[in-house]
Amino acid sequence: MSTLVVFFSFEGNTKLVGDVIAKTMKADTVELKTSKQYPTEGFGKFFWGGKSVLFGEKPQLINERIDLSKYDTVVIGTPIWAGSFAPPIKSFITQYKMEGKRIALFACHGGGGAKKCFSKLKEAFPENQFIGEIAFVEPKKNSEVSSNEAAKWASEL
Ligand SMILES: Cc1cc2nc3c(=O)[nH]c(=O)nc-3n(C[C@H](O)[C@H](O)[C@H](O)COP(=O)(O)O)c2cc1C
């Protein structure tokens, strides 16, 4: 059995960390992509993304269907949006059955919300065993330190 690292990344921070975790764990990776494009600049970036979280949107994923039966461990990564996980993760949660999987969580943020985000994710998978969680503050700004931290965490899972 093996590990899947599944994440959404809007601006590359979660991807940076997710790729290090996957490499360390020799895991497969799926970067969730949506047909809906969020604005990438200015006020609209926070407005539309934040609104999408508050309205509980589940944007359509355009990834190929993931065969979760191959994995016993799933590491889920998200940027923190409006104090929660990003909407594509909500899409993932509703589209996939995670029965029996061990789950680890990682999140990237600009300064706050990780605790709440992790507890919401745990609520979304009440039957699963959680084996670890870690948050990073804007890892792209300090990529070497963040990569080392991510690799250490992943190696101990
Ligand atoms: C729509 C939106 C909402 C955000 N909300 C929060 C927030 O509530 N708390 C926070 O600390 N950072 C927030 N951020 C900042 C991101 O979590 C942070 O920049 C993260 O590193 C981005 O990861 P990414 O590059 O993988 O997309 C928000 C960013 C966006 C675009």
Side-chain angles (χ1 to χ4, degrees), residues 7-17 31 38-40 42-53 77-84 86-87 106-114 116 136-141:
F7 63 85
F8 171 73
S9 186
F10 188 51
E11 296 178 289
N13 289 280
T14 314
K15 179 171 170 52
L16 171 90
V17 174
E31 179 173 3
Y38 294 94
T40 53
F43 176 70
K45 175 171 114 172
F46 294 99
F47 181 76
W48 290 106
K51 187 171 108 5
S52 183
V53 173
T78 181
I80 290 182
W81 280 16
S84 188
F106 67 100
C108 298
H109 62 89
K116 189 171 142 211
F136 298 84
V137 181
E138 305 297 16
K140 273 192 347 186
K141 287 191 181 152

Side-chain angles (χ1 to χ4, degrees), residues 4-8 14 28-32 63 66 68 74-78 89 92 96 98 104 106:
L4 174 71
V5 178
V6 59
F7 63 85
F8 171 73
T14 314
D28 291 344
T29 312
V30 173
E31 179 173 3
L32 298 174
N63 303 78
I66 308 166
L68 282 183
V74 180
V75 184
I76 301 173
T78 181
I89 300 294
F92 175 80
Y96 289 94
M98 294 280 281
F106 67 100

